[in-house]
Amino acid sequence: MGRIAAGGRVGGTPGVSPDGRLLYYGTSDRVLHVVDARNGDPVWTRELPGEMRREPVFRDGAAIVACDDGTILSLKGGGPEDEAWRLKPDGEPGPLTLAGDVVYLASADQHLVAIDAARGVPLWRRALPSGASGRAVRVEDAVCIAT
């Protein structure tokens, strides 16, 4: 196990690409860093609109990341042309869950939100009785989250 010079305070749980080759992490200076998981060599970086404090999820070669300013992005690389979509639902997003083609998250304003993972389009938003604790889980046709 090696060490990586992070470039700043790491703001949350890093994510690993589905093939295990890339490590994704956000730093306090609002930068997403993608490095080779084997040796720590930089692959690309991307400025974000806010700090990434949640573990990203992955779909079709894109990382879906949530920022503390409420923005959620789907990114395939470090350039502007690599942004598949951007969405800013109400409230800071909680942990992301990808199930099929849908991203689920609980927002800080006590809602459970479903987003089309391919297009970044909100599918639905449901009020929760209180703040969520942890990430949503989908079991068959039901979405569960602890409140």
Side-chain angles (χ1 to χ4, degrees):
M1 186 150 104
R3 297 182 77 156
I4 296 172
R9 181 183 57 80
V10 175
T13 304
V16 179
S17 62
D19 64 7
R21 293 180 177 200
L22 300 175
L23 177 68
Y24 292 70
Y25 65 91
T27 50
S28 58
D29 57 355
R30 299 179 327 180
V31 175
L32 170 62
H33 299 263
V34 180
V35 299
D36 185 303
R38 294 165 293 180
N39 57 28
D41 289 344
V43 176
W44 55 269
T45 60
R46 167 77 183 241
E47 247 185 75
L48 297 172
E51 191 175 336
M52 185 182 98
R53 295 186 181 164
R54 307 288 181 199
E55 182 179 359
V57 295
F58 301 90
R59 182 187 181 281
D60 292 340
I64 300 172
V65 301
C67 301
D68 66 355
D69 77 332
T71 305
I72 302 168
L73 303 101
S74 176
L75 304 168
K76 290 192 174 193
E81 69 279 2
D82 297 318
E83 184 176 302
W85 53 262
R86 178 184 291 234
L87 176 67
K88 193 166 182 177
D90 296 332
E92 180 182 343
L96 305 175
T97 298
L98 179 68
D101 291 331
V102 179
V103 175
Y104 299 96
L105 63 101
S107 62
D109 66 346
Q110 298 182 355
H111 283 83
L112 181 61
V113 180
I115 301 166
D116 181 301
R119 300 176 298 134
V121 176
L123 299 172
W124 50 260
R125 176 180 161 86
R126 305 282 189 274
L128 297 172
S130 62
S133 118
R135 70 177 71 236
V137 177
R138 189 174 86 182
V139 180
E140 295 179 9
D141 291 334
V143 180
C144 308
I145 193 160
T147 58

